Amino acid sequence: MSALFGRRLRRGATTTAVAAAAIAALSASQAPGAIPSGPGGAQAAADANPPADSSATGNSPYYTELPPLVTPDKPGTSVDLPALGTGPAEAGIPASVLAAYKQAEQSLAETKPGCNLPWQLLAAIGKVESGQARGGRLDANGTTLAPILGPVLNGNGFANISDTDNGAYDGDSTHDRAVGPMQFIPSTWATWGQDANGDGRKDPNNIYDAALAAGEYLCHANRDLSVDADLRQAILSYNHSQEYLSTVLTWFEYYNKGTHEVPDGTGVLPVGTGPADPVPSPTPTPTPPPSPKPSKPSEPSPDPSTPESGGAESPSTPPGGGSASPSPNDPGTPAPKPVVKRIEKTGTGTQTAVAGSQFTERASVRAVDSAGKPVADVPVRFEIVGDTDARFTSGKSALTLTTGEDGTATAPPVQAGEQTGEFTIRATVDVKNVAGVEYTASVTARQADGLARTGDKELTAETGKEFADQISVKATYKGAAASGVAATATMITSAGSSVPRADGPYFKDAAGNPLRELKDLKTDANGALQLPKIYADDTTGTFLLRIETEGGATLTVELKVTAPPAA
């Protein structure tokens, strides 16, 4: 461990000094959210040195670059972020990364309200751990385009952590490596991994899953991150280093002053220490051919993505002379991101499911621009609204997904609960003047289309006595056991009537009074239903008991009451 810290301190001596200066300046400013000092400060951090494998990252390397001392915007502007804001490059957070941090904050505000996790803390850790997923190089689902792996933790200058996942996450079956945009080691991910995007997988390479997992990890042990000591303890539990604490707190303060969204893949990647793998450039520079040929004036201009000239040109003097203003087709000028003008439904209008089952249809929307063309990489929030216990299959009532190349985002299936009735699945985007769309969904009661007795013994009793045998039935739906189906049992006057009798066999209510109609019965998990005991009054004869279920299944049972034998 000392070798690891020594290597960090030697490598980061300059940035540590800058970090200290930055922290001092920010603390002295007394600005909102300025980095506090006190219990849990430098000395407490220096004393915190548990084993490396007890941290989220295994104490893997991290980026040590600090933000500029100039605040990105006026205090408080990070509350209402513009869709594509402007400001210092370092204040820009890629759209999907930002959406994942904010989704994690909202989720934990519901499940762990006492933690008070701010998304800016996740942003600070994500910046230091992976440069915001390497500048937001993510696919439409929020998964990194290439794995982000830390160095092999084999004790050679780093912690020594033997393999815990058989290489499933990090590709190394001998030692562990930190994985993904939040740099979890596999053993930690096994405990804290989450499925935040509802795709049925807990993927440390997915920014939504990783951000929520990081939030859960920071909040554990009943921490309140609005308390200075808990905040510092949480950060140190992520990576045991005073330099790490200082760097994260500096970025935390910076993001608290304001941020803006930038398109995925265009975020600024810090320099310095970081994950071991080479970082792919968002716009790779083509390798010049060995023997460049000068272009002829009469020939068409070459494709800018494969220039023939290998010579260096001055940035202010374009090839062939002329204006130095960048052309709209200049490969160095990013194309303007399409603007979303509306979202539209791509699924069916109404969705229906039986209580306890999964909806077959899924809510899906497409984001389009003013010309009706699809817009990719748009975060779409799906939310279940209304008086219902239905949830997405991830167990959540709200989640955010990103549109693909076809502009479409599709919510995971919805699992119906036991509560029947209608509710709404709403899809919205955080773009001004773009209205959301809604799907109407309904949950119907469980049904049965078959009902049969589980025994065939004749049911008889003498007057004034109880029937010796209780009636048991089994309900089925399409040949399978129908669980949770509502049923009624009525002593009827005749086969063609549904009116309860006033005499004859009866059930008893809670007070022991005769009752000839039972409601609110329900089959068990195996579709079985056992009726309570039945009693005979002083009327003899053959009587009919009708059992009916939701869905129309009906069964009629005969009850015989005889006079007692002569003395």
Side-chain angles (χ1 to χ4, degrees):
M1 183 61 66
S2 60
L4 170 60
F5 286 157
R7 177 172 177 177
R8 282 211 184 113
L9 293 174
R10 289 193 299 273
R11 182 171 48 204
T14 302
T15 54
T16 304
V18 177
I23 293 169
L26 291 168
S27 300
S29 69
Q30 299 300 311
I35 299 166
S37 60
Q43 184 58 48
D47 294 339
N49 191 25
D53 58 359
S54 68
S55 70
T57 66
N59 289 344
S60 286
Y62 49 86
Y63 290 107
T64 57
E65 184 177 348
L66 297 170
L69 290 177
V70 179
T71 56
D73 211 333
K74 296 178 181 179
T77 56
S78 60
V79 176
D80 299 312
L81 301 176
L84 280 174
T86 58
E90 286 292 350
I93 300 179
S96 293
V97 179
L98 180 60
Y101 295 153
K102 297 181 76 175
Q103 178 178 311
E105 177 193 57
Q106 182 174 0
S107 176
L108 288 164
E110 297 173 0
T111 60
K112 290 182 171 61
C115 176
N116 297 304
L117 172 84
W119 65 259
Q120 290 90 343
L121 177 59
L122 294 176
I125 291 176
K127 181 70 172 181
V128 172
E129 291 292 348
S130 69
Q132 310 296 22
R134 288 180 172 161
R137 291 185 57 80
L138 306 166
D139 64 16
N141 294 318
T143 303
T144 57
L145 297 178
I148 302 176
L149 297 173
V152 177
L153 299 176
N154 57 7
N156 185 16
F158 302 101
N160 190 348
I161 304 178
S162 298
D163 174 67
T164 60
D165 66 330
N166 198 28
Y169 292 122
D170 54 14
D172 191 325
S173 58
T174 304
H175 292 90
D176 273 346
R177 304 174 70 176
V179 181
M182 302 304 281
Q183 288 289 278
F184 278 96
I185 54 174
S187 58
T188 307
W189 183 258
T191 301
W192 298 98
Q194 303 290 320
D195 176 20
N197 64 349
D199 64 357
R201 299 176 60 225
K202 297 179 180 180
D203 185 0
N205 297 297
N206 182 276
I207 186 60
Y208 293 97
D209 294 358
L212 182 57
E216 292 278 1
Y217 183 88
L218 293 166
C219 285
H220 84 280
N222 295 320
R223 293 189 183 113
D224 180 356
L225 301 182
S226 65
V227 176
D228 174 32
D230 282 5
L231 174 67
R232 292 170 178 266
Q233 184 185 46
I235 297 171
L236 284 169
S237 76
Y238 213 88
N239 199 313
H240 303 299
S241 163
Q242 176 62 29
E243 182 187 13
Y244 181 82
L245 173 67
S246 300
T247 308
V248 169
L249 286 175
T250 307
W251 280 107
F252 179 47
E253 172 65 18
Y254 185 72
Y255 287 136
N256 269 322
K257 291 296 184 66
T259 58
H260 61 272
E261 178 185 303
V262 298
D264 288 350
T266 63
V268 175
L269 191 65
V271 296
T273 316
D277 289 351
V279 179
S281 171
T283 52
T285 304
T287 303
S291 302
K293 298 180 180 180
S295 58
K296 299 179 181 179
S298 59
E299 292 178 347
S301 299
D303 186 334
S305 64
T306 55
E308 293 186 356
S309 174
E313 293 285 349
S314 168
S316 60
T317 308
S323 171
S325 301
S327 164
N329 296 323
D330 186 341
T333 304
K337 185 176 180 180
V339 178
V340 179
K341 287 298 182 182
R342 70 178 187 279
I343 57 174
E344 55 193 20
K345 294 181 182 180
T346 61
T348 58
T350 303
Q351 304 181 32
T352 305
V354 176
S357 66
Q358 190 176 106
F359 283 75
T360 56
E361 300 290 336
R362 299 165 65 179
S364 179
V365 298
R366 180 186 296 112
V368 296
D369 61 15
S370 57
K373 295 182 179 180
V375 181
D377 300 327
V378 178
V380 180
R381 178 177 173 80
F382 291 94
E383 185 176 10
I384 295 175
V385 181
D387 186 15
T388 180
D389 56 355
R391 294 290 183 268
F392 292 112
T393 49
S394 62
K396 299 185 179 300
S397 60
L399 47 83
T400 300
L401 300 174
T402 305
T403 58
E405 292 299 323
D406 60 353
T408 300
T410 302
V414 173
Q415 178 70 36
E418 295 302 321
Q419 187 173 344
T420 60
E422 288 192 350
F423 62 93
T424 299
I425 304 174
R426 181 180 298 155
T428 57
V429 293
D430 190 17
V431 179
K432 188 176 181 181
N433 298 327
V434 175
V437 298
E438 294 183 346
Y439 285 88
T440 300
S442 63
V443 178
T444 60
R446 296 172 184 256
Q447 298 181 353
D449 55 14
L451 194 62
R453 276 190 68 190
T454 55
D456 56 3
K457 189 175 181 179
E458 187 179 49
L459 300 168
T460 62
E462 294 180 8
T463 55
K465 296 184 178 181
E466 68 181 43
F467 285 78
D469 299 297
Q470 289 181 251
I471 299 174
S472 296
V473 298
K474 184 171 183 178
T476 56
Y477 183 70
K478 295 183 179 180
S483 64
V485 177
T488 60
T490 309
M491 303 292 180
I492 55 177
T493 56
S494 65
S497 172
S498 59
V499 178
R501 293 184 62 94
D503 61 356
Y506 60 90
F507 304 103
K508 287 183 179 181
D509 64 13
N513 300 314
L515 190 66
R516 292 183 172 87
E517 184 176 32
L518 295 179
K519 298 181 179 180
D520 300 324
L521 300 173
K522 188 168 288 187
T523 61
D524 65 15
N526 298 314
L529 171 65
Q530 185 177 62
L531 299 183
K533 289 183 177 181
I534 301 175
Y535 303 86
D537 62 7
D538 57 359
T539 308
T540 60
T542 300
F543 304 90
L544 300 179
L545 169 64
R546 178 177 293 164
I547 305 169
E548 297 178 285
T549 68
E550 189 76 33
T554 303
L555 175 67
T556 302
V557 180
E558 284 190 352
L559 303 171
K560 293 183 179 180
V561 179
T562 61

